[in-house]
Amino acid sequence: ADGTPIDWRLPKPVYSLSQEAPHSGSWCLAYSNDDATRYQLAAIPLALKAGLRYSFSVWVRTRDVQGSDTGATVCIEWMRADGSYLGGAYPAGVKGTQAEWTQVQGTTGTIPSDAASFSLACYVRKEMTGTAWFDDVSVSEYYPPLLEAMTSDAYRSVYAGSPARFTLGLTLSQQRLEPDDVTIDVVLNDADG
């Protein structure tokens, strides 16, 4: 009824909706704060799943965002069933004056099994002042590259015919795969290709 997007908590007087040059569409979220002691977040609840990772982003532009922290940003947090803080992901933000829209991106770690509630927030870090705009928030499941690491016991001492052992670190559980679901093909090239 008041034009606030569904499920968003937009604390006044810091947050409002704006039609001032949104990234896309007709509206964006505006932040304006001249009191460094005031710290408020515009937040929305999320439905995330334990055992998965998530990537998230928001487009941001700023005017005179000042203070010692990293500025206008986005975060995802998770809480226990009793409402106590359990964890979160907090990418660096944008400060100063950035007239062009800049994408701020983050990735969570694996969501723990005892996480019961989740939220995403657009905000400017503590003890900062200025004006910021947020638009086009995105959250999606994140699947890291299948190959996490490769090591070998061979280093500068491999001769023709001598054995070398390689170890691969794979992110099977994060890809929802079992070892039988994966085939590994290894190609070794010499210095000439």
Side-chain angles (χ1 to χ4, degrees), residues 71-152:
T73 189
V74 62
C75 71
I76 289 182
E77 296 181 313
W78 42 95
M79 308 293 178
R80 294 179 181 90
D82 67 4
S84 62
Y85 175 82
L86 185 57
Y90 307 92
V94 178
K95 63 191 289 188
T97 297
Q98 178 63 46
E100 299 298 319
W101 287 98
T102 301
Q103 191 174 37
V104 175
Q105 302 177 70
T107 305
T108 70
T110 303
I111 301 296
S113 60
D114 55 342
S117 64
F118 313 89
S119 65
L120 176 139
C122 296
Y123 67 110
V124 174
R125 296 270 170 86
K126 278 185 179 180
E127 300 177 354
M128 299 192 78
T129 59
T131 304
W133 295 266
F134 302 88
D135 206 356
D136 295 327
V137 174
S138 173
V139 178
S140 59
E141 290 181 10
Y142 173 74
Y143 297 99
L146 184 59
L147 178 61
E148 186 173 51
M150 183 175 78
T151 60
S152 173

Side-chain angles (χ1 to χ4, degrees), residues 4 22 26 30 59 71 74 99 111 121 134 182:
T4 301
S26 301
W59 288 88
V74 62
I111 301 296
F134 302 88
V182 178

Side-chain angles (χ1 to χ4, degrees), residues 160-183:
S162 64
R165 185 175 35 226
F166 292 88
T167 304
L168 302 178
L170 303 175
T171 60
L172 297 181
S173 64
Q174 295 171 5
Q175 300 281 349
R176 297 184 191 166
L177 296 170
E178 297 295 328
D180 290 344
D181 298 329
V182 178
T183 301

